[in-house]
Amino acid sequence: MNRAAIVAPVRTPGGFAGGGLSAMTAQRLAATAIAAAVERSGLDGARVDDVVLAGAVTGDPRLARLAARAAGLAGVTPGFDLERRCGSGLYALITAAMMVRTGAAEVVVAAAVDRGSAAEDAAIPPDLADVEQLARRYGITRAEADEFALRSHRKAARAWRQGTFASEIAPVKVIGATRSEWDCATPRLVEHDETVREDMTTRGLTELSPLWPDGVLTPGALGVHGAGAAACLVVSEDRLSDLGLEPLAYLTDWAASSCATPERTPTAAAAVSKLLSRNGFHPSDMDLMEIDEKTAVDVLALLRHLDHPVDNVNVNGGSIALGDPIAATGLRITTTLLHELFRRAATHGLAVTPLSPDTALAALFESAHSDPTTTTPRGARFHTSRTRRLGRHRA
């Protein structure tokens, strides 16, 4: 079976409520990302077989097709919409991968979009009580959660100063957004994540009131719900040479799992363990991890559960700093992960995002320049099968 190659992953900057992206329709925002991915790949848009577009419910079932046409793809390109809550973006990529791996298509655009919430920048988690119990279970303090949030902003700010995001950002042209400084008819480019706070300080975070009486979480330790889009080409491995395409990575495998007691065990723990065990890996084998920062507690609890350090996790900041375009976040974190994997000439990366308060999705990627990983047959039970592979192993 052909591997699914990921080509030219891009994302728009992250925007907050009332920011520069607020005037953009979901169609235009998605089209910007799709057009950028196809253009950067160098592929003739007529070679795209289909478009899988994940997004928040917009009321228009033709969003994928309309965005594809607005992006300049051929009028015969069909397109279909997908909605899987917080995991929509990653599921769009997985769906596209299944299409090319089974031979149903050769080139599929996976895209995701979310216009954000007009009501508020940071939404209080519906499972706040469970998150606070999780913090107590793993001994996570208010100071640790604040420090994690501060590091997210500092890492993102540093990445922007060093030009790290230049290769993955697709600038967005907007006209007449809602904030006063944007109220004009002159087109402007949004080229920078609006949610990154270079002026964030420990003192500023400590002055915020907790969301729960005597709790750990504050608004500063939550992912900022905002607008954004991402897209990439998913291509059958045996067609790369003929099409003249160079992938960044391959999607190796994925797994979803539910958690019966989210207040006692990190939601994503079961999905990560299932995926890594099935492929013969330990968390320490991952060169990079991108974990959706719904809250600082969720990430810290997962890392403590896995007994994994924070050093190689969200190395350029996460959703707390870069924004959380919920339906598009899974594909956004994947885009950032694959570009960083390429920059470091690293081998394996893991992307993790929740689907709901008690369900999560994890995806495993390998560098385009590494030897293919031999996976356990799909029917095998993940907790009894381990596949030997070249490279680092846990003794």
Side-chain angles (χ1 to χ4, degrees):
M1 183 179 290
N2 283 316
R3 292 190 295 171
I6 313 301
V7 177
V10 299
R11 68 177 180 91
T12 69
F16 54 76
L21 300 184
S22 297
M24 296 287 289
T25 64
Q27 177 185 324
R28 285 187 59 206
L29 199 55
T32 298
I34 293 171
V38 175
E39 179 182 0
R40 294 185 189 187
S41 72
L43 182 73
D44 181 351
R47 304 299 297 268
V48 175
D49 296 315
D50 213 336
V51 174
V52 186
L53 177 59
V57 177
T58 63
D60 190 341
R62 304 173 301 154
L63 180 60
R65 176 162 170 74
L66 293 174
R69 295 186 68 177
L73 298 186
V76 295
T77 306
F80 64 94
D81 299 276
L82 180 151
E83 202 283 316
R84 289 297 302 269
R85 304 178 71 177
C86 299
S88 296
L90 201 46
Y91 262 117
L93 180 62
I94 290 168
T95 301
M98 288 191 288
M99 293 171 70
V100 303
R101 287 175 68 167
T102 58
E106 294 179 343
V107 180
V108 180
V109 171
V113 63
D114 199 314
R115 291 191 63 220
S117 170
E120 54 186 11
D121 294 342
I124 298 176
D127 57 334
L128 181 58
D130 288 347
V131 174
E132 290 291 345
Q133 289 188 48
L134 194 65
R136 289 193 290 272
R137 165 74 173 79
Y138 285 89
I140 299 168
T141 65
R142 161 75 185 270
E144 288 173 325
D146 286 347
E147 179 61 26
F148 182 88
L150 181 63
R151 285 201 306 267
S152 184
H153 282 278
R154 286 180 172 173
K155 287 186 288 188
R158 182 189 64 227
W160 271 111
R161 288 195 302 270
Q162 296 176 348
T164 301
F165 290 137
S167 61
E168 67 187 64
I169 287 290
V172 181
K173 182 185 291 186
V174 297
I175 302 176
T178 56
R179 291 180 66 196
S180 58
E181 58 263 39
W182 292 83
D183 286 340
C184 64
T186 304
R188 298 174 183 242
L189 278 181
V190 176
E191 302 178 274
H192 194 284
D193 292 304
E194 298 176 334
T195 50
V196 178
R197 294 281 305 275
E198 293 193 54
D199 60 346
M200 182 70 72
T201 63
T202 300
R203 179 176 179 180
L205 287 169
T206 57
E207 290 176 349
L208 296 175
S209 300
L211 299 171
W212 191 268
D214 299 320
V216 170
L217 278 182
T218 70
L222 304 179
V224 181
H225 186 193
C232 67
L233 273 62
V234 184
V235 183
S236 177
E237 182 181 17
D238 65 357
R239 296 292 293 151
L240 289 169
S241 180
D242 292 343
L243 295 172
L245 299 175
E246 184 72 25
L248 277 190
Y250 295 93
L251 175 58
T252 300
D253 198 7
W254 57 88
S257 187
S258 292
C259 174
T261 55
E263 77 281 2
R264 297 189 60 81
T265 305
T267 301
V272 171
S273 296
K274 179 179 179 180
L275 176 63
L276 295 184
S277 295
R278 187 165 66 197
N279 288 276
F281 287 108
H282 182 268
S284 62
D285 294 317
M286 295 298 101
D287 297 296
L288 290 169
M289 289 189 188
E290 282 288 329
I291 304 173
D292 186 8
E293 295 173 356
K294 293 300 180 187
T295 75
V297 168
D298 288 317
V299 181
L300 289 171
L302 177 61
L303 295 179
R304 291 188 181 181
H305 182 87
L306 299 174
D307 192 23
H308 188 79
V310 74
D311 304 25
N312 69 339
V313 176
N314 299 357
V315 295
N316 294 316
S319 297
I320 291 175
L322 299 173
D324 184 12
I326 295 176
T329 297
L331 196 50
R332 197 283 298 166
I333 67 175
T334 298
T335 296
T336 301
L337 171 68
L338 299 189
H339 280 275
E340 188 63 27
L341 204 65
F342 178 79
R343 267 189 296 274
R344 297 186 178 208
T347 303
H348 292 99
L350 184 72
V352 183
T353 184
L355 298 174
S356 68
D358 62 354
T359 311
L361 175 66
L364 177 64
F365 298 88
E366 60 183 335
S367 165
H369 303 293
S370 64
D371 294 329
T373 300
T374 303
T375 58
T376 303
R378 289 284 179 176
R381 294 178 63 84
F382 74 88
H383 59 279
T384 59
S385 299
R386 286 181 65 89
T387 303
R388 298 295 294 175
R389 53 174 291 276
L390 296 176
R392 293 177 296 156
H393 289 279
R394 183 182 176 115

